[in-house]
Amino acid sequence: MLETRAVYPGSFDPITNGHVDIIERGLRVFNRIIVAVLENPKKRPLFTTKERVRMIQDIFASKKEVEVRAFDGLLVDFARARGTHVVIRGLRAISDFEYEFQMALMNRSLAPDIETFFMMPSVNYSFLSSNLVREVAALGGSVEGLVPEPVARKLGDKVNRPKKVQNP
Ligand code: PNS
């Protein structure tokens, strides 16, 4: 059986150019990529689930092959519900390996019919993470070239939003 669609899950808080690169590479292999945005209130993300989904939808507005969905619960259940047996994860460096290895094997133990495919982003993005992007933006650094332009603007809005003055 040939798979034509794959799920690409993550927190995407926010999506970076590294994620965009993985999605574009994924489209060379699969007809459809379902970007699955984790809805996890415990993680207290900078961007709401709705904002994260909307940003990714806007970036890929011209690509009908990219579908963006929020998900909660088990990833393998989401993948099955969307009719795919393939999960894509990006691997940047050896440091990613242990966490990714654990997750892939846990997912396999939960759902032996689902395979995880690892893809390497362009070397230009091998240092890039959403955590670092958030930190740089919060400290006033430039995130140009690290995230798509609309994301950079939204990050600016978030981190520069004036604090509400407390009434005495
Ligand atoms: O971008 P992230 O934060 O590294 O993505 C992590 C993600 C969303 C892939 C992972 O947390 C996940 O799959 N969460 C869903 C819950 C789940 O299925 N857990 C068991 C498998 S380890």
Side-chain angles (χ1 to χ4, degrees):
M1 179 184 61
L2 284 179
E3 280 283 341
T4 57
R5 50 168 67 195
V7 172
Y8 179 41
S11 301
F12 303 108
D13 186 35
I15 186 166
T16 68
N17 283 343
H19 295 127
V20 171
D21 184 75
I22 293 289
I23 294 168
E24 283 169 350
R25 284 173 199 280
L27 286 174
R28 295 186 196 155
V29 182
F30 299 99
N31 290 333
R32 188 166 194 83
I33 303 282
I34 303 155
V35 182
V37 178
L38 180 69
E39 192 163 0
N40 184 355
K42 273 196 227 144
K43 271 203 165 181
R44 293 178 106 265
L46 178 64
F47 290 97
T48 65
T49 311
K50 221 172 171 180
E51 286 172 324
R52 286 177 282 145
V53 167
R54 177 58 67 83
M55 280 190 283
I56 305 171
Q57 280 171 337
D58 288 349
I59 292 160
F60 290 99
S62 64
K63 289 216 161 90
K64 296 275 169 289
E65 322 86 279
V66 178
E67 182 183 326
V68 190
R69 301 263 168 180
F71 84 104
D72 56 12
L74 287 176
L75 172 63
V76 290
D77 290 341
F78 174 83
R80 278 190 183 137
R82 304 305 305 165
T84 179
H85 298 86
V86 176
V87 170
I88 294 177
R89 289 288 288 172
L91 257 193
R92 288 162 302 189
I94 299 287
S95 50
D96 282 341
F97 183 77
E98 198 169 333
Y99 171 59
E100 294 298 336
F101 184 74
Q102 278 185 327
M103 258 199 320
L105 292 186
M106 177 56 80
N107 283 334
R108 181 180 285 169
S109 117
L110 291 167
D113 54 322
I114 291 184
E115 287 297 334
T116 303
F117 278 56
F118 292 108
M119 301 189 72
M120 282 175 291
S122 158
V123 71
N124 299 338
Y125 305 126
S126 55
F127 64 95
L128 193 50
S129 73
S130 299
N131 282 348
L132 283 183
V133 163
R134 286 198 306 273
E135 184 170 322
V136 168
L139 297 174
S142 168
V143 292
E144 203 188 318
L146 306 181
V147 293
E149 225 278 307
V151 177
R153 259 185 283 119
K154 293 222 161 51
L155 260 172
D157 293 347
K158 276 269 178 203
V159 298
N160 295 326
R161 191 168 291 164
K163 295 206 168 46
K164 278 193 188 139
V165 179
Q166 298 269 312
N167 288 328

